[in-house]
């Protein structure tokens, strides 16, 4: 190929802004945005994520992934016939959470999606670092448990069919490989494109970016011009995930599209992975899902504050999300 020849968009023939190796396509900005929107729509259809007439609660962190998810989903509400609302959780992490919150609010305003904020310090009286210190558990694991609990609780109280999460292809591939290496096979089931809800107290989850690369979420957000938080959480520490990511990035480099093929075969194989041994039960204190009779949120707050807060929180969260 003549090195001086300009690279052109595969759709319109104008100068290209980006080359997607996995698709072997060049795009101008406009057609890149169309292409990613199409990928999200195809992913939603392929895995039957959204039923016509349903209501979806999008979990928005302020980062590029969930913002791109909100942008693309908000463009599909009419075509796929669903209602979209959003939720952000302010985790109270110094030097991080206030920026995340204001960006999440701005993205919701730009997309015109109704949203609510749950502020952990207002609800519990403690932020993530304080809660983690009090119960002597690593902040990331406390944070994960708190987010899962509050997202599910908000979903139940809003009465939505599904919670939409912004996990992209690259992160999901890492979590799946990690769980495989540790032989946590039941957890691989939870990392598919969607998980089903249960009996009115466990809301189903979907991942509309299941087949979208992390790099594309960043490009999408910046081509559209919406703000997103680029700072990493200061509590993040290097772990086995980073090594797995480097390995998988190498596979993708050698064989573009490898991660898509991997996630598609995982989605097909999920029914073969073992189901949790015990049925999902209700926490005897707050009624939310639990594996052992008392949920992890009630346990954590009992240890940190001397009383379980789950039940009390339900009323407060119901009031906050009632505007949605
Ligand atoms: P993470 O667990 O931080 O990798 O985030 C995975 C997904 O959880 C994000 O893409 C969001 O959909 C959701 N999420 C993470 N943090 C928040 C937050 N503070 N508020 C609401 N949703 C969140
Ligand atoms: Fe949860 Fe960093 S965002 S610990
Ligand atoms: Zn074009
Ligand atoms: Zn509970």
């Amino acid at each position: 190929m003549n090195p001086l020849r300009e690279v052109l968009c595969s759709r319109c023939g104008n100068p290209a802004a980006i080359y997607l190796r996995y698709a072997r396509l060049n795009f101008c900005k406009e057609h890149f945005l169309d292409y990613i929107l199409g990928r999200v729509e195809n992913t939603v259809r392929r895995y039957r994520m959204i039923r016509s007439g349903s209501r979806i609660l999008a979990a928005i962190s302020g980062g590029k992934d969930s913002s791109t998810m909100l942008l693309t989903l908000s463009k599909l509400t009419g075509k796929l016939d669903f209602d979209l609302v959003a939720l952000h959780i302010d985790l109270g992490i110094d030097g991080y959470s206030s920026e995340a919150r204001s960006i999440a609010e701005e993205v919701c305003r730009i997309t015109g999606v109704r949203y609510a904020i749950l502020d952990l310090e207002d609800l519990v009286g403690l932020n993530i670092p304080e809660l983690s210190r009090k119960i002597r558990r690593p902040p990331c694991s406390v944070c994960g448990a708190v987010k899962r609990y509050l997202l599910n609780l908000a979903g139940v109280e809003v009465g939505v069919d599904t919670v939409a999460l912004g996990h992209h292809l690259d992160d999901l591939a890492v979590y799946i490989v990690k769980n495989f290496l540790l032989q946590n096979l039941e957890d691989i089931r939870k990392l598919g494109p969607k998980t089903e809800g249960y009996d009115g107290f466990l809301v189903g989850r979907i991942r509309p970016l299941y087949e979208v690369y992390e790099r594309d979420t960043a490009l999408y957000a910046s081509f559209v011009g919406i703000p997103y938080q680029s700072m990493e959480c200061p509590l993040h520490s290097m772990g086995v995930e980073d090594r797995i990511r480097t390995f998988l990035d190498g596979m993708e480099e050698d064989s573009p599209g490898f991660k898509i093929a991997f996630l598609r075969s995982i989605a097909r194989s999920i029914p073969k992975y073992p189901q949790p041994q015990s049925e999902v039960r209700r926490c005897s204190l707050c009624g939310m899902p639990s594996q052992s009779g008392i949920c992890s949120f009630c346990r954590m707050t009992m240890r940190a504050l001397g009383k379980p807060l789950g039940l009390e929180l339900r009323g407060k969260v119901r009031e906050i999300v009632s505007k949605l």
Side-chain angles (χ1 to χ4, degrees):
M1 195 170 78
N2 178 352
L4 296 178
R5 219 178 66 202
E6 197 166 20
V7 179
L8 302 177
C9 170
S10 313
R11 293 252 168 99
C12 67
N14 285 329
I18 181 85
Y19 175 59
L20 301 182
R21 278 188 83 207
Y22 62 89
R24 296 208 195 123
L25 292 170
N26 291 296
F27 287 119
C28 66
K29 280 188 185 179
E30 183 192 334
H31 287 116
F32 169 77
L33 295 177
D34 274 359
Y35 178 75
I36 297 300
L37 181 60
R39 280 195 81 81
V40 175
E41 183 180 342
N42 289 342
T43 307
V44 166
R45 289 185 190 276
R46 176 190 293 264
Y47 300 110
R48 297 194 169 83
M49 289 185 184
I50 299 180
R51 266 188 306 105
S52 170
S54 63
R55 199 154 194 238
I56 310 277
L57 179 69
I60 303 303
S61 66
K64 59 192 183 330
D65 316 322
S66 49
S67 294
T68 290
M69 174 182 76
L70 190 73
L71 270 169
T72 48
L73 284 183
S74 70
K75 289 181 195 297
L76 294 171
T77 51
K79 196 167 178 188
L80 300 180
D81 182 31
F82 65 96
D83 183 33
L84 183 64
V85 291
L87 183 85
H88 174 75
I89 302 166
D90 185 336
L91 301 158
I93 298 168
D94 212 20
Y96 178 70
S97 294
S98 56
E99 184 186 74
R101 177 181 180 148
S102 57
I103 292 177
E105 288 186 280
E106 196 175 339
V107 173
C108 290
R109 278 194 294 270
I110 292 171
T111 50
V113 173
R114 292 188 311 288
Y115 68 94
I117 305 274
L118 297 182
D119 185 319
L120 192 63
E121 285 188 38
D122 287 351
L123 292 171
V124 175
L126 296 171
N127 58 34
I128 291 292
E130 290 165 345
L131 194 54
S132 139
R133 269 195 299 278
K134 289 225 172 220
I135 63 173
R136 296 205 189 92
R137 259 177 65 181
C140 286
S141 93
V142 173
C143 178
V146 164
K147 283 192 290 200
R148 268 193 303 280
Y149 184 82
L150 290 179
L151 282 173
N152 185 62
L153 177 55
V156 169
E157 295 300 344
V158 181
V160 292
D161 299 86
T162 323
V163 168
L165 298 167
H167 291 119
H168 48 66
L169 179 65
D170 299 82
D171 272 353
L172 289 165
V174 170
Y175 301 149
I176 289 165
V177 171
K178 181 182 170 190
N179 279 310
F180 181 77
L181 294 176
L182 298 172
Q183 286 296 287
N184 294 331
L185 300 183
E186 285 174 12
D187 288 344
I188 294 182
R189 276 187 95 92
K190 298 181 198 154
L191 292 168
K194 71 172 179 183
T195 53
E196 298 297 336
Y198 200 79
D199 235 9
F201 66 96
L202 177 62
V203 177
R205 282 173 296 176
I206 57 169
R207 298 190 167 95
L209 305 183
Y210 190 76
E211 296 195 1
V212 177
Y213 285 90
E214 177 171 19
R215 170 180 176 250
D216 290 351
T217 70
L219 282 170
Y220 192 94
S222 48
F223 283 177
V224 172
I226 50 152
Y228 63 83
Q229 187 171 40
S230 39
M231 180 202 308
E232 261 216 49
C233 169
L235 306 179
H236 172 85
S237 54
M238 283 285 281
V240 65
E241 284 92 350
D242 300 277
R243 287 192 181 274
I244 298 173
R245 191 179 305 271
T246 307
F247 162 74
L248 289 170
D249 286 348
M251 301 288 286
E252 181 73 26
E253 182 67 27
D254 291 348
S255 167
F258 169 82
K259 290 188 191 179
I260 298 179
F262 174 51
L263 257 70
R264 283 192 183 159
S265 59
I266 286 290
R268 278 193 301 275
S269 312
I270 273 186
K272 296 186 213 149
Y273 281 89
Q275 301 251 31
Q277 303 262 313
S278 53
E279 237 190 289
V280 193
R281 288 154 62 189
R282 275 176 183 262
C283 169
S284 57
L285 300 172
C286 71
M288 289 291 103
S290 127
Q291 266 161 5
S292 60
I294 296 183
C295 74
S296 66
F297 187 81
C298 283
R299 275 177 204 281
M300 285 193 297
T301 47
M302 200 143 53
R303 260 182 84 185
L305 303 161
K307 61 171 183 171
L309 273 196
L311 192 61
E312 199 178 312
L313 222 68
R314 289 195 69 162
K316 290 187 187 172
V317 169
R318 187 176 309 140
E319 203 183 315
I320 295 168
V321 299
S322 62
K323 64 177 184 176
L324 291 176

